[in-house]
Amino acid sequence: MRIVVLVSGTGSNLQAVIDAVVSGGLPVEIVAVGADRAGTFGVERSAAAGLETFVVDFKKYASRADWDDALLERVAGYKPDYVVSSGFMRIVAASFIDAFDGRYINTHPALLPSFPGAHGVRDALNYGVKVTGCTVHFADAGVDTGPIIDQTAVRVLAQDTQESLHERIKVAERELLIKVLGDLARL
Ligand code: GRF
């Protein structure tokens, strides 16, 4: 099963997928890793792992539509079975979702539909929930919306900061993403 992974940041969840593929535990081919900005550690660590990487730099396009078109053309060129957003901080256009027939998977560090958006961990912590977690879902053109594939609950500790809680959620997120990709690969 061919996947393209999109990142915007450190790519620690991506690294867990790379490690699972390299160890033979995940029958998936990461055909490329891409980012919406230059200099992400996610792309850097992917290149270090010998993977094909690309950047469709949001800042270099005259309009949002031009960036959308460039991203779609670049990703489609790899002919992926699935596109996986792992810390990718852009909402893709409906044309992107349609191009992959809904096979665009996103991970989110909260139990959707609770706490969508770029600050799901902070919002859950500030709300005072006792249990939060992570979600893997088929993304549509909305913000963290689309059919949920699976979720893992993570208890919030009294001493948690946003950082400590997010790091603990990411551990669950990596395991969940690898499980979901493995299940899809074995269909
Ligand atoms: C993950 O928790 C992801 O769900 C969220 O941002 C985090 C990315 O972390 N959108 P990393 O870049 O994989 O370390």
Side-chain angles (χ1 to χ4, degrees):
M1 181 175 88
R2 297 166 60 86
I3 68 171
V4 168
V5 183
L6 300 178
V7 298
S8 292
T10 57
S12 66
N13 288 355
L14 162 65
Q15 186 63 58
V17 175
I18 293 171
D19 295 346
V21 172
V22 169
S23 71
L26 182 59
V28 160
E29 181 188 357
I30 303 172
V31 290
V33 174
D36 60 318
R37 64 197 70 180
T40 63
F41 187 40
V43 163
E44 192 179 314
R45 69 202 307 174
S46 300
L51 295 174
E52 163 91 5
T53 62
F54 64 91
V55 175
V56 179
D57 193 333
F58 192 77
K59 294 197 303 294
K60 292 189 173 170
Y61 289 84
S63 71
R64 171 73 203 231
D66 289 351
W67 179 81
D68 283 326
D69 293 346
L71 181 71
L72 173 51
E73 184 179 354
R74 191 61 184 271
V75 175
Y78 291 110
K79 301 189 184 325
D81 296 302
Y82 291 90
V83 183
V84 179
S85 159
S86 188
F88 189 60
M89 299 310 278
R90 300 282 175 189
I91 304 302
V92 298
S95 54
F96 189 96
I97 304 295
D98 295 343
F100 297 107
D101 190 27
R103 288 174 285 114
Y104 179 50
I105 292 170
N106 181 50
T107 66
H108 182 72
L111 294 176
L112 294 174
S114 299
F115 311 118
H119 305 290
V121 178
R122 181 198 68 188
D123 296 345
L125 195 61
N126 290 346
Y127 190 93
V129 296
K130 301 307 178 188
V131 176
T132 184
C134 54
T135 302
V136 177
H137 64 106
F138 288 114
D140 57 23
V143 177
D144 295 321
T145 53
I148 289 174
I149 302 171
D150 206 348
Q151 298 182 297
T152 302
V154 174
R155 181 161 292 280
V156 180
L157 305 178
Q159 71 273 22
D160 262 331
T161 62
Q162 181 179 329
E163 293 70 26
S164 65
L165 178 55
H166 199 169
E167 280 315 306
R168 203 159 64 252
I169 291 172
K170 280 188 185 180
V171 172
E173 208 171 345
R174 291 163 197 155
E175 288 173 14
L176 189 62
L177 178 57
I178 289 166
K179 176 186 177 302
V180 165
L181 291 176
D183 291 347
L184 290 170
R186 296 180 184 99
L187 280 180

